[in-house]
Amino acid sequence: MDQIKHLSVLDDVRHVLDKRRLRLALIALSALSLLVCLLTTHLLIDFSRPPSGLPIIPHYGPPTIAQLGFDHIYVIHTHPQRPVQMSRVLQMLQITAEFVAAPVASPGNSTLPARRVAEWHAHMGVYRDMRERGFESALILDGSMDMELNIKTIMRRVHRVLPSWDLLFPGHCGAFERIQPRVSAQLPMLRVANMPLCLHAYAVSRSGVDSLLDHLDALPPDRDILGMAIMRLAEQRRLAMYSLDTPVFVPEYTDKTRRLAGNKRLAISAINHLHERQQ
């Protein structure tokens, strides 16, 4: 009988210990969940940065949504303050992108400004990276971009009717895109590109990258402006290019950018919406 009582007491002790272990495990799990939440919040507010000092944008979902229908989005950083604002806009819209630093280039004996030589190196570097990583398409943005607040909806509509393409210009400073042939009655703003000019917001497909690298990579970077070299390839029918007659990406609106042909005010600016939320 004493042995049975002893075993019963041991069972009671084990039961109490099991309850305590379960309680401790639940407390530990709750603490871990809180830690993950705090870390996530810190990432969204402080914009965790790699050693290069450029922002890291979280992965928000499949490319069809979070990357505007492209395999990748590159943001070329050229200004010390703008990447912070750009990263906040992208996070607000839950768009995933990779920030890359524009190289510092010297014009040497070239007649071109240093920024044009740097532009050539930066974009060629992106094309090579696309090829090496096997991306079928990528959107390339300057770090000073503003965009329509409903950019995801707009780009979904574009991809539904976009034919086989090499370059697409959803942002540009061309003055004559509105008079170009329409691609589809379903989306009148999509046009066969004429001279969209400016490389602050454009997309490149895998076939476009191959053409650009095949024809331009061996050229000296200080000989020509990249945008004009691309336009000449289009004139030679080496590139299939399309544009939106009303740009949905524009440089942040200033007295200087207002003078750019084709740089119209956005219907609903994402930057303005971000500022309103922060007030």
Side-chain angles (χ1 to χ4, degrees), residues 3-268:
Q3 187 176 6
I4 292 174
K5 287 182 178 179
H6 181 67
L7 290 173
S8 178
V9 170
L10 287 176
D11 288 339
D12 290 342
V13 171
R14 288 193 189 98
H15 183 65
V16 170
L17 289 175
D18 288 342
K19 277 189 172 181
R20 287 179 178 175
R21 289 192 187 100
L22 179 60
R23 192 177 297 113
L24 288 172
L26 290 173
I27 291 172
L29 184 59
S30 298
L32 181 61
S33 299
L34 179 60
L35 178 62
V36 170
C37 181
L38 289 173
L39 287 174
T40 304
T41 303
H42 177 75
L43 176 64
L44 291 176
I45 295 174
D46 292 340
F47 308 104
S48 176
R49 294 171 177 233
S52 66
L54 296 178
I56 297 176
I57 304 298
H59 289 279
Y60 287 111
T64 51
I65 299 173
Q67 291 166 201
L68 305 180
F70 303 102
D71 279 4
H72 203 65
I73 298 178
Y74 295 91
V75 179
I76 299 178
H77 157 56
T78 56
H79 190 281
Q81 297 300 323
R82 286 171 178 164
V84 174
Q85 177 168 267
M86 183 68 161
S87 63
R88 287 175 178 158
V89 169
L90 294 174
Q91 291 208 64
M92 177 185 71
L93 299 177
Q94 296 195 343
I95 294 173
T96 301
E98 177 185 1
F99 281 74
V100 295
V104 177
S106 170
N109 296 323
S110 172
T111 57
L112 296 178
R115 65 184 180 87
R116 291 298 187 184
V117 179
E119 178 185 62
W120 185 288
H121 284 293
H123 288 256
M124 284 294 169
V126 166
Y127 304 155
R128 296 186 201 103
D129 188 72
M130 279 185 64
R131 176 181 276 179
E132 290 172 5
R133 294 164 72 177
F135 294 140
E136 291 299 317
S137 63
L139 178 64
I140 305 170
L141 301 175
D142 183 84
S144 64
M145 284 298 96
D146 193 2
M147 63 198 77
E148 292 287 0
L149 188 63
N150 65 335
I151 190 64
K152 287 184 174 180
T153 301
I154 293 171
M155 294 311 300
R156 274 199 301 272
R157 294 173 62 200
V158 169
H159 284 291
R160 288 193 192 114
V161 298
L162 184 63
S164 179
W165 61 284
D166 294 318
L167 272 74
L168 170 68
F169 289 82
H172 56 81
C173 49
F176 302 104
E177 301 309 298
R178 284 180 174 274
I179 64 174
Q180 289 299 105
R182 291 175 175 170
V183 173
S184 170
Q186 299 176 45
L187 190 65
M189 69 187 305
L190 181 61
R191 308 277 182 154
V192 177
N194 175 33
M195 289 284 284
L197 300 176
C198 299
L199 300 178
H200 53 240
Y202 71 109
V204 189
S205 70
R206 181 58 183 266
S207 60
V209 160
D210 289 341
S211 292
L212 291 171
L213 288 176
D214 289 347
H215 294 97
L216 303 180
D217 199 24
L219 298 179
D222 58 353
R223 195 185 80 174
D224 203 356
I225 296 174
L226 180 59
M228 296 308 298
I230 289 174
M231 294 305 123
R232 276 195 292 275
L233 288 178
E235 289 177 354
Q236 297 165 9
R237 301 186 183 278
R238 298 182 187 275
L239 292 171
M241 301 199 318
Y242 299 90
S243 65
L244 302 186
D245 59 18
T246 302
V248 295
F249 291 91
V250 300
E252 189 175 353
Y253 209 72
T254 64
D255 288 339
K256 181 179 179 181
T257 60
R258 188 186 302 123
R259 294 192 296 269
L260 292 175
N263 186 24
K264 309 298 183 185
R265 281 190 181 275
L266 298 170
I268 306 179

